[in-house]
């Protein structure tokens, strides 16, 4: 009689389709906040890139017979003061803010990281003078500094990118500087010096890879601030300019109608701004929790 032990036990089938298993595997190591924030951010990126293909109405088409129509079956988010579909304008309006904010953030984080590396690595006069300059720049309230600069040179997408990038650089530099000062006391930096590596090689090839999580958190956090700052500047007329369907501009245009009970323009555009800021905050919190768990 054949012994059943000679036959291996049948393998259990893994539930789900192969594609779903790959997706679950890709997200299994990520914090839930990172997954939620990334999906929310991805939704707006898709709207920015392909929104024109699936908007229900022309976002710039005016209909004076349907001005300030409340949400209904035809216009899910209602219409604005010119009869334009609010949902269509929100979808298309994501384009400018998702272009300007990342570029401004990237400029600020890149400049701030380089400044922080230099100030953190070199002691003495360089660090003392640089640290005092950073403190002086950070003494000015952010929104006041940006507003005054844009009033002086005039608003445009390029100037908003440059001004916000310059304003963020000192904030990022201070954080990176602290990380570099901690890392340069490590043994691997001493070994690099003994091996004959120069300051630039040590800063960018040795120390920079070891503070990449800190810089990544700064990048995502500042991106959230940039979304809110650009919306605020647009509300004040100093950020993204018409004829853009920008959310901050829409809030400014619809703000005066709140007293008459016409709430939908302000509420839905404000919710879009909040969702972008919330998405970046969730991602930053998840990355920060992951970094702390590895520490």
């Amino acid at each position: 009689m054949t012994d059943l032990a000679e036959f291996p036990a049948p393998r259990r089938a893994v539930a789900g389709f192969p594609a779903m298993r790959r997706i679950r595997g890709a997200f299994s190591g990520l914090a839930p906040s990172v997954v939620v924030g990334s999906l929310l951010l991805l939704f707006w990126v898709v709207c920015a890139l392909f929104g024109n293909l699936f908007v229900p109405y022309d976002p710039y088409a005016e209909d004076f017979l349907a001005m300030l129509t409340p949400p209904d079956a035809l216009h899910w988010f209602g219409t604005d003061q010119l009869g334009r579909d609010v949902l269509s304008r929100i979808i298309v309006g994501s384009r400018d803010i998702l272009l300007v904010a990342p570029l401004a953030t990237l400029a600020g984080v890149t400049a701030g990281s380089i400044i922080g590396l230099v100030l953190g690595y070199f002691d003495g006069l360089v660090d003392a003078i640089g640290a005092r300059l950073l403190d002086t720049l950070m003494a000015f309230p952010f929104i006041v500094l940006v507003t005054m600069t844009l009033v002086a040179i005039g608003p445009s997408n390029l100037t908003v990118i440059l001004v916000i990038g310059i304003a963020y650089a000192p904030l990022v530099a201070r954080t990176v500087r602290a990380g570099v000062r901690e890392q340069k006391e490590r043994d691997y930096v001493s070994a690099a010096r003994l091996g004959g590596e120069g300051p630039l090689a040590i800063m960018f090839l040795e120390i920079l890879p070891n503070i990449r999580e800190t810089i990544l958190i700064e990048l995502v956090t500042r991106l959230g601030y940039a979304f809110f700052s650009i919306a605020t500047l647009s509300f004040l007329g100093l950020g993204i300019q018409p004829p853009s369907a920008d959310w901050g501009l829409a809030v400014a245009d619809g703000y005066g109608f709140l007293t008459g009970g016409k709430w939908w323009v302000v509420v839905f555009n404000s919710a879009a701004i909040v969702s972008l800021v919330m998405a970046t905050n969730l991602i930053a919190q998840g990355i920060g929790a992951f970094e702390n768990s590895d520490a």
Side-chain angles (χ1 to χ4, degrees):
M1 184 174 180
T2 305
D3 189 356
L4 295 178
E6 296 178 1
F7 297 93
R11 295 182 181 179
R12 296 182 60 188
V14 180
F17 294 102
M20 294 303 298
R21 292 199 300 270
R22 287 194 294 269
I23 292 174
R24 286 198 298 269
F27 286 106
S28 61
L30 298 177
S33 61
V34 175
V35 176
V36 174
S38 299
L39 291 176
L40 188 54
L41 187 60
L42 178 62
F43 167 78
W44 286 119
V45 171
V46 171
C47 289
L49 293 175
F50 308 107
N52 280 334
L53 301 178
F54 56 82
V55 289
Y57 297 94
D58 182 349
Y60 301 100
E62 300 175 0
D63 184 359
F64 296 107
L65 298 179
M67 293 187 300
L68 291 173
T69 300
D72 57 22
L74 292 177
H75 302 280
W76 291 359
F77 286 7
T79 61
D80 64 8
Q81 70 278 7
L82 296 178
R84 299 171 297 193
D85 183 64
V86 173
L87 175 58
S88 300
R89 289 183 63 79
I90 288 176
I91 292 173
V92 174
S94 61
R95 183 173 304 149
D96 282 338
I97 194 170
L98 280 168
L99 173 65
V100 175
L103 289 176
T105 304
L106 185 61
V109 171
T110 301
S113 298
I114 294 173
I115 295 170
L117 278 168
V118 173
L119 296 184
Y121 184 81
F122 293 102
D123 292 321
L125 190 61
V126 174
D127 181 57
I129 295 176
R132 298 294 80 76
L133 289 175
L134 293 180
D135 292 340
T136 302
L137 291 174
M138 289 187 294
F140 291 96
F142 171 80
I143 194 65
V144 174
L145 177 63
V146 172
T147 301
M148 291 176 58
T149 306
L150 288 174
V151 168
I153 64 179
S156 70
N157 286 0
L158 180 59
T159 55
V160 169
I161 291 171
L162 294 176
V163 169
I164 291 182
I166 292 171
Y168 280 169
L171 302 172
V172 176
R174 182 177 63 176
T175 302
V176 173
R177 171 178 173 266
V180 173
R181 289 174 67 88
E182 189 272 333
Q183 288 291 325
K184 75 175 184 177
E185 304 300 329
R186 301 288 182 91
D187 292 339
Y188 75 89
V189 176
S190 300
R193 291 196 187 101
L194 291 175
E197 293 189 31
L200 288 177
I202 294 175
M203 284 189 290
F204 289 96
L205 299 180
E206 303 291 345
I207 296 178
L208 181 60
N210 287 283
I211 59 171
R212 61 183 183 275
E213 288 86 1
T214 299
I215 296 175
L216 181 59
I217 293 173
E218 279 290 314
L219 179 67
V220 179
T221 303
R222 297 301 162 194
L223 180 60
Y225 288 140
F227 287 138
F228 183 77
S229 299
I230 291 170
T232 301
L233 292 172
S234 297
F235 179 83
L236 297 174
L238 297 172
I240 299 171
Q241 297 297 300
S244 171
D246 177 69
W247 301 335
L249 287 173
V251 173
D253 292 338
Y255 183 76
F257 298 102
L258 284 175
T259 55
K262 315 296 185 181
W263 51 268
W264 47 89
V265 177
V266 172
V267 168
F268 288 127
N269 280 278
S270 298
I273 298 169
V274 170
S275 69
L276 264 182
V277 177
M278 184 176 67
T280 54
N281 286 342
L282 287 172
I283 296 171
Q285 289 173 7
I287 296 173
F290 178 78
E291 182 184 14
N292 292 333
S293 66
D294 285 348

